[in-house]
Amino acid sequence: MKAKNVNLLFAFVAILLFCCYYFCIYKMDQTSNQLTNCRNRMSEFKKNMLRLKNESENHRQNLVQILNQMKYEIVQIANASDFLERKVSRLGESKIRPNGFEGLKFFLPHLRAVERIYPDVATSRGKAGVSFALGITTVDRGNYTYLKQTLTSVLSRMTPEEEKDSVVIISVADTGDYLNYVVDMVKTKFKRQVQSGSLEVISIPTFFYPSGLLGKKTMEDSKSWQMKQALDFCVLMLYARPKATYYLQLEDDIIARKMYFTKMKDFVNSLTSENWFYIEFSVLGFIGKLFHSKDLLDFVHFFLMFYKVKPIDMLLDDIFLVKMCNWGEHIRSCMQRRKEVRVQYRPSLFQHVGIHSSFPGRKQYLKGRRAAAGSLAAVEQEARSPEHPQHPPELPLAHAQLVVAAGRLPPGSVWGRRRGLSSGQSDT
């Protein structure tokens, strides 16, 4: 019995060990399968990670390309913005300085090869938006000059308020020494007006003129001289056009009447209609002609069409007939309407005092009837008075002296002489 129990115990232990063995084998197989699954999953995870890495790199490259594209577009937009700003700036400037000069290419073919058509500006503060622009063309007259006395007359006979509401533009139609002389003279004699912007100096580059009007021939041939003079006036008109409501044409050898600006302004304001063609404040030539600035382009175009045919002052009559007289209208009716639109102011506000013409060797004694009273000496004396401190008494007649040719010129006739003549010399 005891041996039987021992056998049963051994049998039980053997069965138990056998079961544990198979159980361990089962667990080991199961664990092995799990490890294999883990390895497979790890391998799959690695593959996924690698794929994601590749995709991420592709996305990064795409993003870089997109960013580069965006940067490029931003730069393009910025450039376009700068271009637009420059364009707007140029358009803004065109309100101050509209490019009416481009129209010269139609009438003057030699200018079509020029990129920028504009006069050279020697002194300017860019003053604009005023009521009156006064234009003065000047050329070298050799040993004679009237410009300083003309400017003294024109500027000293303005009130401070009138000076603020106007700009005087000197257009030098010569280069070299004379241009330097004019610039130095105005900066010295009229320093305050230059600094305030009420006085400007421009010069006309030689490329404005056809080749036939350049050189010594122009100054020896009266026809070429008249053609050049017309072009000089046209350039000055185009430059002055955007600066003011009205444009007054003067010359460099005149004297303005006392209170001329006040009388001119009051007369313009007293007119009941703005439909006038132009106003004559002097009967001589082109002196003292007042235009609407908005009409200057039409005048310039007409002058350029016929500047080879007639002097510019004669073309004023022709443009009236072209613009104001209707086809088939009786000339008497047209001339009657002329009185209404071509207004004349009396007496003249400007006196012509130049004896020596800008055309070499020519003398002229033209004086308007009932014109501005006073001599150049009177103008200079007035400019030195306490009422006009802008012209200090210690300043001499810069580069000019007043000479009266006793008994040889008509009473009241005077002329100015440029530097190089002493106080005791005379050209007579």
Side-chain angles (χ1 to χ4, degrees):
M1 185 68 181
K2 188 175 181 179
K4 185 177 179 181
N5 289 336
V6 172
N7 292 332
L8 287 173
L9 180 61
F10 277 113
F12 176 76
V13 171
I15 293 172
L16 183 61
L17 291 172
F18 181 79
C19 291
C20 289
Y21 170 76
Y22 277 101
F23 178 76
C24 290
I25 292 175
Y26 171 76
K27 285 296 183 181
M28 290 178 64
D29 290 339
Q30 190 176 14
T31 300
S32 178
N33 292 334
Q34 289 177 349
L35 289 173
T36 302
N37 291 335
C38 286
R39 291 193 194 97
N40 293 335
R41 290 179 181 178
M42 288 295 294
S43 178
E44 185 178 355
F45 177 75
K46 289 180 180 180
K47 291 179 180 180
N48 290 335
M49 289 297 294
L50 183 61
R51 179 175 55 81
L52 291 175
K53 182 180 179 181
N54 294 333
E55 292 179 355
S56 177
E57 180 66 21
N58 292 334
H59 291 323
R60 188 187 69 81
Q61 293 178 358
N62 291 336
L63 287 175
V64 170
Q65 291 179 355
I66 293 173
L67 288 174
N68 291 335
Q69 182 67 23
M70 291 178 65
K71 289 180 181 179
Y72 174 78
E73 292 179 356
I74 290 173
V75 170
Q76 293 296 107
I77 293 174
N79 292 337
S81 178
D82 292 340
F83 174 79
L84 182 60
E85 289 179 2
R86 290 194 297 268
K87 191 73 173 179
V88 171
S89 177
R90 285 195 292 268
L91 289 174
E93 290 179 359
S94 66
K95 295 179 180 179
I96 300 174
R97 191 177 67 187
N99 201 3
F101 289 93
E102 289 298 315
L104 295 178
K105 294 181 179 180
F106 179 80
F107 302 97
L108 304 172
H110 70 280
L111 292 178
R112 294 171 186 172
V114 180
E115 181 178 355
R116 182 179 182 271
I117 305 177
Y118 202 71
D120 295 329
V121 180
T123 62
S124 174
R125 297 283 180 176
K127 189 174 183 180
V130 296
S131 296
F132 293 89
L134 290 69
I136 301 174
T137 58
T138 184
V139 295
D140 190 0
R141 297 172 188 250
N143 291 328
Y144 301 90
T145 181
Y146 309 92
L147 179 61
K148 182 166 69 70
Q149 285 74 31
T150 295
L151 290 175
T152 299
S153 167
V154 169
L155 293 171
S156 66
R157 289 174 171 175
M158 291 182 184
T159 66
E161 292 74 17
E162 290 167 348
E163 186 178 304
K164 291 180 180 178
D165 196 30
S166 63
V167 57
V168 178
I169 306 166
I170 306 170
S171 177
V172 181
D174 270 310
T175 57
D177 293 340
Y178 186 66
L179 174 60
N180 296 332
Y181 158 72
V182 172
V183 173
D184 292 341
M185 183 268 292
V186 299
K187 287 184 176 180
T188 301
K189 180 69 175 177
F190 306 100
K191 182 178 180 180
R192 182 179 60 81
Q193 288 86 349
V194 171
Q195 292 179 344
S196 68
S198 297
L199 179 60
E200 299 184 4
V201 178
I202 65 172
S203 65
I204 304 177
T206 55
F207 69 73
F208 270 94
Y209 306 107
S211 58
L213 297 185
L214 298 175
K216 187 177 180 181
K217 178 184 176 182
T218 300
M219 303 311 296
E220 296 176 348
D221 177 39
S222 61
K223 184 70 174 180
S224 299
W225 174 78
Q226 290 174 355
M227 292 164 58
K228 179 180 179 297
Q229 184 185 52
L231 295 180
D232 294 341
F233 278 77
C234 290
V235 172
L236 178 55
M237 286 180 167
L238 289 177
Y239 177 82
R241 182 172 68 100
K243 289 181 172 289
T245 305
Y246 304 105
Y247 173 76
L248 178 68
Q249 182 65 60
L250 299 175
E251 293 186 7
D252 63 348
D253 55 353
I254 58 97
I255 290 179
R257 187 174 183 174
K258 290 183 178 181
M259 297 182 65
Y260 80 97
F261 198 98
T262 302
K263 296 177 184 294
M264 177 179 65
K265 180 177 61 176
D266 291 345
F267 182 75
V268 172
N269 293 335
S270 69
L271 297 176
T272 57
S273 173
E274 281 284 318
N275 293 329
W276 46 268
F277 198 48
Y278 62 87
I279 302 176
E280 291 183 320
F281 290 101
S282 173
V283 296
L284 294 178
F286 217 68
I287 299 172
K289 303 302 186 286
L290 185 75
F291 305 89
H292 290 284
S293 294
K294 61 183 178 63
D295 296 335
L296 287 178
L297 200 59
D298 292 337
F299 281 97
V300 168
H301 288 172
F302 186 84
F303 295 152
L304 291 175
M305 282 190 286
F306 301 104
Y307 78 100
K308 296 180 180 180
V309 180
K310 290 184 179 180
I312 190 169
D313 53 339
M314 293 185 179
L315 292 176
L316 280 177
D317 292 328
D318 295 337
I319 191 175
F320 170 81
L321 296 175
V322 171
K323 287 183 68 76
M324 296 299 176
C325 296
N326 299 321
W327 177 256
E329 182 181 12
H330 195 280
I331 189 66
R332 184 178 299 175
S333 174
C334 182
M335 290 297 102
Q336 182 63 32
R337 191 165 68 257
R338 173 180 176 176
K339 297 179 181 179
E340 301 174 0
V341 297
R342 183 176 172 178
V343 184
Q344 293 182 337
Y345 178 89
R346 295 292 179 271
S348 297
L349 295 182
F350 305 98
Q351 171 67 285
H352 181 265
V353 296
I355 300 299
H356 293 268
S357 170
S358 56
F359 183 74
R362 177 184 296 172
K363 293 184 179 182
Q364 51 191 9
Y365 302 95
L366 297 175
K367 296 184 69 174
R369 292 175 297 177
R370 297 186 298 168
S375 66
L376 292 176
V379 173
E380 185 67 21
Q381 182 177 0
E382 178 188 282
R384 292 166 179 259
S385 68
E387 296 179 358
H388 303 280
Q390 66 270 29
H391 304 299
E394 66 272 18
L395 285 178
L397 292 177
H399 313 301
Q401 297 173 331
L402 303 178
V403 179
V404 177
R408 297 187 58 183
L409 296 178
S413 299
V414 293
W415 71 89
R417 298 193 299 149
R418 281 184 55 191
R419 57 189 180 278
L421 299 178
S422 64
S423 58
Q425 289 178 303
S426 173
D427 279 352
T428 58

